[in-house]
């Protein structure tokens, strides 16, 4: 469903990943690890079509990313940034309404957002914001869900809960790509774990000894 | 939002009716002279309302687009640009040459300045730059207008320009009104269609794109919509300041700060404020010849300063 074809990402003067080819099937949750400034966020933004790749291309459901209109792409992929501030003091319930999400299901209940709905979004803690943004994202039922450091500000309980939710969601035939700072979470929940290093995406075997329990940041 | 818009719509309708009966002429005389009603007060009322609607709407749209409550067509030099275009045409003696000449010149002015501001915002994406540029533009455009006035050899034309610059809804024929208002309405429709972009831009430009909006493309429509809704009207009426700043700001809490839901109430509120200001001007007209633009600026400036000082340091728009 998601192909990278000879993908090079970064900027003219700063290449993060060089000539990378990969193929992700529906139902896979992919974890991306890497030190600060290694290009994790840029990789996600490239998949989200927020940044163009330097070389190569991304193919989504058989169609090159560049061929999608913004509107069509919005129906199939969602992206959760690491940090978000609303320009206006909107209540959380109104933030959830932005962009006309079609599917409200029980995400509000699942993510325990009931008591946050009437609070101003900008006053929420980073962890609470992450839950709200995940709900906002899932309400749009994306085929590809991209999440940047969504678990970084969460307590252990919610970290597991959110990762569990993302895994269950991708099991329904979707692809998830998540940037993580905690290798243990990546190994526990992700089907494939990659590490960005030396301009390459390394596929990591599960729980390699040099990374065990170590927090990369 | 519906209740608020209904209420504002009702007030506006009542004012529109009521404004026809306010003026120096006593009611019994007025009823004998229906022509005063239809040839003077009716076009005046229509012009006042459309100007207010245009200002309220452009104010709300600009604030939403730039994510800055200080954005306003007057402060950013957009109204002055329309005025300069019009003044140039009047001073060149082309004002009467063609029905389209002055409104068209006004539109060109708006397009020029808005495009410049657009390019600037892409390079220097911060609200302070925008406000300061607006300040600089306003004083530059003002100086250019003064220059034109001094260079003009016709004292009568100069006087006309000065009075025109102060902003007044009076003395416009139904014919002029019928030409200008459809252009404004076209601009309103274009601006109205930016609602989705405004809504998604609340979460920043990146999230707007993620959610399917194309803010960069929509900038063109923003410019076109503002040019159409402000250019011709300003070229006819002159500069009426601060309505575009005050109205959206006052109404924003009533729509839960949702930028897209602000458009309709803000348009109606702008109409109310412009018409009310004009009614005050008319009620006082026996005593002093107050211009409506002077009145709105007198009310608006302290409010603008208050906003400027109250704005949190960290507030920023990213473009």
């Amino acid at each position: 469903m998601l192909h990278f074809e000879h993908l090079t990402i970064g900027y003219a003067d700063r290449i993060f990943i060089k000539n990378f080819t990969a193929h992700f099937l529906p139902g896979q949750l992919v974890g991306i690890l890497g030190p600060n400034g290694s290009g994790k966020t840029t990789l996600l933004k490239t998949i989200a079509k927020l940044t163009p790749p330097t070389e190569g291309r991304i193919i989504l459901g058989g169609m090159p990313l560049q061929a999608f209109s913004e509107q069509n792409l919005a129906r199939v992929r969602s992206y959760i940034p690491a940090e978000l501030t609303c320009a206006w003091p909107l209540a959380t319930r109104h933030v959830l309404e932005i962009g006309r999400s079609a599917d409200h299901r029980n995400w509000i209940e699942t993510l325990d957002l009931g008591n946050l709905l009437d609070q101003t979004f900008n006053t929420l803690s980073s962890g609470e914001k992450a839950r709200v943004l995940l709900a906002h994202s899932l309400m749009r039922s994306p085929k590809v869900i991209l999440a940047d450091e969504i678990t970084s500000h969460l307590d252990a309980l919610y970290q597991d809960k959110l990762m569990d939710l993302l895994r269950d969601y991708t099991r329904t035939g979707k692809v998830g790509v998540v940037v993580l700072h905690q290798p243990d979470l990546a190994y526990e929940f992700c089907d494939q774990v990659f590490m960005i290093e030396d301009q390459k995406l390394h596929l990591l075997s599960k729980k390699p000894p040099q990374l065990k329990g170590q927090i990369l940041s | 939002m519906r209740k608020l818009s209904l209420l504002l719509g009702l007030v506006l309708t009542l004012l529109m009716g009521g404004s026809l009966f306010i003026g120096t002429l006593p009611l019994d005389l007025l009823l004998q002279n229906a022509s005063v009603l239809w040839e003077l007060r009716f076009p005046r009322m229509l012009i006042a309302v459309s100007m207010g609607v245009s200002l309220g709407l452009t104010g709300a749209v600009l604030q939403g687009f730039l994510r800055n409550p200080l954005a306003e067509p007057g402060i950013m030099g957009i109204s002055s640009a329309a005025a300069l275009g019009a003044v140039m045409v009047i001073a060149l003696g082309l004002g009467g040459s063609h029905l389209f000449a002055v409104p068209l010149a006004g539109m060109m002015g708006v397009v020029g300045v808005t495009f410049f501001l657009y390019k600037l915002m892409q390079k220097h994406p911060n609200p302070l730059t925008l406000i300061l540029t607006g300040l600089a533009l306003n004083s530059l455009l003002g100086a250019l207008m003064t220059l034109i006035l001094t260079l003009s050899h016709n004292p009568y034309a100069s006087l006309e320009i000065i009075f025109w610059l102060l902003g007044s809804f009076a003395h416009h024929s139904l014919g002029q009104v019928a030409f200008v208002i459809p252009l404004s309405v076209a601009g309103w429709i274009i601006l109205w269609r930016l609602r989705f972009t405004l809504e998604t831009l609340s979460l920043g430009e990146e999230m707007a794109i993620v959610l399917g909006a194309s803010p960069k493309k929509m900038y063109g429509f923003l410019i076109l919509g503002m040019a159409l809704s402000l250019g011709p009207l300003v070229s006819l009426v002159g500069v009426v300041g601060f309505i575009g700043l005050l109205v959206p700001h006052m109404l924003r809490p009533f729509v839960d700060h949702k930028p897209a839901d602000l458009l309709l109430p803000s348009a109606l509120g702008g109409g109310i404020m412009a018409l009310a200001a004009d009614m005050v001007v008319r009620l006082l007209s026996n005593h002093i010849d107050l211009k409506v633009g002077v009145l709105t600026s007198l009310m608006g400036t302290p409010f603008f300063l208050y906003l400027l000082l109250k704005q949190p340091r960290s507030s920023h728009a990213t473009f």
Side-chain angles (χ1 to χ4, degrees):
Chain A
M1 183 149 92
L2 182 66
H3 298 258
F4 299 158
E5 280 186 356
H6 304 289
L7 197 65
T8 298
I9 64 156
Y11 308 94
D13 54 343
R14 195 172 178 200
I15 298 296
F16 291 125
I17 304 172
K18 235 180 193 167
N19 194 8
F20 176 69
T21 298
H23 181 199
F24 303 107
L25 296 168
Q28 286 190 326
L29 185 61
V30 181
I32 310 283
L33 299 169
N36 275 341
S38 59
K40 302 186 294 292
T41 297
T42 309
L43 175 63
L44 275 196
K45 284 188 181 179
T46 313
I47 307 172
K49 205 194 169 190
L50 292 170
T51 309
T54 315
E55 271 171 59
R57 58 179 191 168
I58 294 172
I59 294 177
L60 184 60
M63 200 156 104
L65 205 56
Q66 296 311 314
F68 279 90
S69 71
E70 266 96 350
Q71 268 174 319
N72 285 334
L73 196 57
R75 291 195 195 101
V76 290
R77 69 91 173 81
S78 73
Y79 167 77
I80 305 170
E83 264 178 43
L84 190 75
T85 308
C86 186
W88 307 105
L90 293 186
T92 303
R93 72 168 70 248
H94 297 313
V95 168
L96 285 169
E97 285 163 8
I98 291 177
R100 323 256 156 82
S101 44
D103 170 24
H104 274 266
R105 274 202 265 178
N106 320 320
W107 297 122
I108 291 176
E109 264 175 53
T110 311
L111 286 158
D112 307 324
L113 301 178
N115 57 337
L116 303 180
L117 289 179
D118 290 319
Q119 291 186 36
T120 306
F121 177 76
N122 286 345
T123 63
L124 302 184
S125 73
S126 306
E128 287 169 332
K129 277 186 179 177
R131 277 151 57 201
V132 172
L133 291 174
L134 179 63
H136 182 247
S137 209
L138 289 171
M139 280 173 184
R140 306 174 59 77
S141 342
K143 291 203 173 80
V144 174
I145 187 164
L146 310 166
D148 196 353
E149 291 186 28
I150 189 172
T151 54
S152 299
H153 300 286
L154 293 170
D155 54 54
L157 192 74
Y158 271 120
Q159 280 180 358
D160 286 2
K161 185 163 184 172
L162 257 69
M163 289 305 293
D164 219 21
L165 204 71
L166 273 170
R167 188 178 53 184
D168 288 351
Y169 182 75
T170 48
R171 287 282 180 272
T172 62
K174 318 288 202 265
V175 171
V177 182
V178 290
V179 164
L180 294 167
H181 265 314
Q182 301 102 318
D184 47 339
L185 278 181
Y187 293 131
E188 190 179 346
F189 292 98
C190 296
D191 303 295
Q192 290 187 52
V193 181
F194 288 92
M195 167 95 178
I196 304 180
E197 206 171 32
D198 304 325
Q199 301 190 333
K200 287 195 185 80
L201 259 183
H202 301 278
L203 180 61
L204 297 180
S205 54
K206 287 216 166 187
K207 303 193 181 183
Q210 77 270 21
L211 283 169
K212 197 175 181 179
Q214 184 189 342
I215 304 272
L216 297 169
S217 65
Chain B
M1 172 205 170
R2 287 226 177 95
K3 268 188 198 162
L4 177 68
S5 297
L6 270 175
L7 181 70
L8 291 170
L10 192 68
V11 173
L12 183 60
T13 314
L14 288 175
L15 275 182
M16 283 166 78
S19 80
L20 294 175
F21 301 99
I22 282 182
T24 41
L25 205 62
L27 197 61
D28 49 339
L29 272 176
L30 178 71
L31 292 174
Q32 287 165 25
N33 291 295
S35 63
V36 171
L37 209 63
W38 295 114
E39 283 166 30
L40 293 177
R41 294 192 184 169
F42 187 62
R44 181 171 183 159
M45 178 271 282
L46 284 182
I47 282 283
V49 171
S50 342
M51 189 67 192
V53 168
S54 281
L55 287 169
L57 191 59
T58 45
V61 171
L62 265 180
Q63 290 175 13
F65 226 97
L66 301 172
R67 285 158 280 151
N68 187 339
L70 292 175
E72 194 248 358
I75 289 161
M76 294 166 65
I78 292 166
S79 298
S80 306
L84 180 67
V87 164
M88 276 163 73
V89 168
I90 295 174
L92 288 170
L94 298 172
S97 69
H98 201 287
L99 192 62
F100 297 86
V102 175
L104 216 60
M107 279 172 67
M108 296 303 289
V110 173
V111 170
V113 159
T114 320
F115 190 70
F116 172 74
L117 288 172
Y118 166 49
K119 285 287 166 200
L120 183 94
M121 282 304 281
Q122 280 185 324
K123 278 196 174 163
H124 304 279
N126 81 69
L128 191 65
T129 316
L130 187 73
I131 303 294
L132 291 176
T133 311
L135 192 79
L137 275 176
N138 265 329
S139 82
L140 172 71
L141 295 168
L144 286 174
M145 279 188 270
T146 316
L147 186 68
I148 290 172
L149 280 177
T150 14
L151 293 178
S152 168
H153 297 299
N154 182 347
Y156 182 72
S158 305
L159 200 66
E160 275 291 284
I161 290 175
I162 290 174
F163 275 117
W164 176 84
L165 278 177
L166 296 173
S168 166
F169 298 131
H171 315 305
H172 301 296
S173 71
L174 262 181
Q176 283 173 304
V177 173
F179 169 67
V180 160
I181 288 184
L183 291 174
S184 308
V185 173
W188 300 347
I189 292 169
I190 292 171
L191 294 174
W192 180 248
R193 294 175 60 90
L194 296 173
R195 291 190 324 284
F196 181 72
T197 311
L198 295 180
E199 180 189 324
T200 52
L201 269 176
S202 307
L203 298 180
E205 195 187 358
E206 229 166 44
M207 280 307 276
I209 294 169
V210 167
L211 295 170
S214 330
K216 289 222 162 84
K217 279 182 213 156
M218 288 300 140
Y219 237 122
F221 288 99
L222 174 74
I223 292 174
L224 184 68
M226 287 206 301
L228 281 168
S229 53
L230 283 175
L233 269 174
V234 172
S235 62
L236 208 62
V237 169
V239 177
V240 179
F242 289 102
I243 289 179
L245 175 77
L246 282 150
V247 172
H249 199 83
M250 286 187 332
L251 294 174
R252 184 169 286 116
F254 296 100
V255 294
D256 298 326
H257 301 269
K258 291 191 272 185
D261 287 3
L262 183 60
L263 299 198
L264 183 57
S266 189
L268 296 170
I272 291 173
M273 189 170 256
L275 197 54
D278 192 46
M279 284 162 79
V280 170
V281 165
R282 273 193 273 170
L283 284 172
L284 294 175
S285 61
N286 273 345
H287 313 289
I288 44 166
D289 188 16
L290 188 65
K291 296 288 178 190
V292 74
V294 176
L295 184 70
T296 56
S297 291
L298 279 177
M299 297 190 309
T301 312
F303 185 75
F304 174 70
L305 288 175
Y306 164 73
L307 278 186
L308 196 63
L309 295 173
K310 210 189 77 171
Q311 210 191 21
R313 242 163 230 267
S314 59
S315 72
H316 56 281
T318 42
F319 249 105

